[in-house]
Amino acid sequence: PAITFATDNKVLVKPNLEGLTLPEKYKDWRVISASHRTDNKSMRIILGNDIAIKASRSNQTNPWPDGTILGKLVWKQTTEKNWPTAIAPEEFIHAEFMYKDSNKFKANGTGWGWARWLGKEQKPYGDDNDLNQSCIACHTPVKGRDWVYTTPVQLP
Amino acid sequence: PAITFATDNKVLVKPNLEGLTLPEKYKDWRVISASHRTDNKSMRIILGNDIAIKASRSNQTNPWPDGTILGKLVWKQTTEKNWPTAIAPEEFIHAEFMYKDSNKFKANGTGWGWARWLGKEQKPYGDDNDLNQSCIACHTPVKGRDWVYTTPVQLP
Ligand code: HEC
Ligand code: HEC
């Protein structure tokens, strides 16, 4: 049966060119990891929907199950005013999502849908039908990890 | 009425000397921020219970309301194998919690209870009745922010 992400969607934010919609409740998702990109001075938090969290806690992440959505939230970095050696998030840059549906997204070679919304305006990123090619190119080094860089944190 | 954190507690992990217990469902809490301590090479994710999230989303964080619990999870840093300029969490170090109850914790001068559990064994930290003094000393620079360093991230 076709996998639907409908319960997570809202229509207030414009879908991207491929019809992918911003998961409405992403702010309430649980955390998968965080990272600090020192090359472009940004802080990232990686979240997952319920299917992703279940998969991550049971180590079923290669491949991730259909229905998984991974979200990455990116902010410019700043230094913690009262503790200058700590780097923390500041201005919001963008939100990116990967939607796992091995049938629906077979054609792009990854089994994932790829989408990004820019800034506080949540403007869909990409203006042609190859909008996911830059994502996929950049994630190719982790093709053998089901196209995912992040290793979920383990907690006691 | 006395504030109770009981619904969040489990007895499997030993309470600390002050009787503070590890919040059972902290893994399911929503995210408040993340940070990278470059001075001691660790990555941190800051989470909050429902009261904390509600306060943070409505900018009621100075003071944080009674019943707030803030959690900080700390890992040694590593570099993302396939993207070496990205810093990510690796081995788990400890979990720390601040419990806001302006009456119960009036005596220590902060209105917060302070607790840390070490490692995967979740061993309560501190072996005397002044166990929270090192926490409080270190958080004194942010006394004017209700003893909290972290500024919650804002999301569109
Ligand atoms: C410049 C290289 C690059 C490009 C372009 C890129 N990514 Fe990524 N992406 C990464 C790296 C590196 C990570 C690992 C986490 C981190 O430090 O950001 C990552 C992580 C992610 C994650 C978290 C899951 C994971 O794989 O770790 C998502 C979701 C994601 N990217 C989506 C996208 C989408 C959608 C696009 C295109 C619109 C895209 N990415 C384009 C490099 C890239
Ligand atoms: C060496 C200094 C230092 C000590 C000691 C310390 N803290 Fe902190 N704490 C910080 C800094 C700096 C932050 C800001 C986030 C970050 O980068 O870690 C922080 C953040 C936190 C947070 C997240 C909320 C906030 O204030 O940002 C909690 C919870 C916390 N600490 C609890 C504790 C507890 C409990 C203890 C003692 C058992 C403790 N801390 C001892 C420096 C310290």
Side-chain angles (χ1 to χ4, degrees), chain A residues 28 30 36 38 57 85 87, chain B residues 28 30 36 38 57 85:
Chain A
D28 293 330
R30 287 168 287 174
H36 175 204
T38 59
R57 291 183 184 175
T85 49
I87 308 296
Chain B
D28 293 330
R30 288 168 286 174
H36 175 203
T38 59
R57 291 184 183 175
T85 49

Side-chain angles (χ1 to χ4, degrees), chain B residues 60-128:
Chain B
Q60 312 282 314
T61 60
N62 199 1
W64 290 80
D66 279 347
T68 293
I69 311 179
L70 299 175
K72 191 173 77 170
L73 310 171
V74 183
W75 295 265
K76 283 189 191 160
Q77 76 176 52
T78 186
T79 50
E80 191 65 71
K81 212 171 79 182
N82 297 286
W83 197 275
T85 49
I87 309 296
E90 193 180 38
E91 192 191 328
F92 182 70
I93 304 177
H94 64 226
E96 294 180 336
F97 296 90
M98 293 169 60
Y99 310 69
K100 183 71 185 265
D101 185 333
S102 42
N103 284 317
K104 187 171 170 191
F105 303 114
K106 192 175 248 168
N108 70 25
T110 68
W112 294 92
W114 303 79
R116 176 187 287 170
W117 283 269
L118 300 173
K120 292 210 175 136
E121 313 76 34
Q122 300 183 302
K123 191 172 166 296
Y125 166 82
D127 48 18
D128 62 40

Side-chain angles (χ1 to χ4, degrees), chain A residues 80 82-83 86-87, chain B residues 35-37 44 46 70-72 96-98 113-116 125 131-132 134-136 138-139 142 147-151:
Chain A
E80 192 65 71
N82 298 287
W83 197 275
I87 308 296
Chain B
S35 79
H36 175 203
R37 274 270 298 268
R44 289 102 195 290
I46 296 102
L70 299 175
K72 191 173 77 170
E96 294 180 336
F97 296 90
M98 293 169 60
W114 303 79
R116 176 187 287 170
Y125 166 82
L131 63 97
N132 60 28
S134 67
C135 317
I136 294 171
C138 222
H139 281 248
V142 286
W147 306 90
V148 172
Y149 279 98
T150 301
T151 303

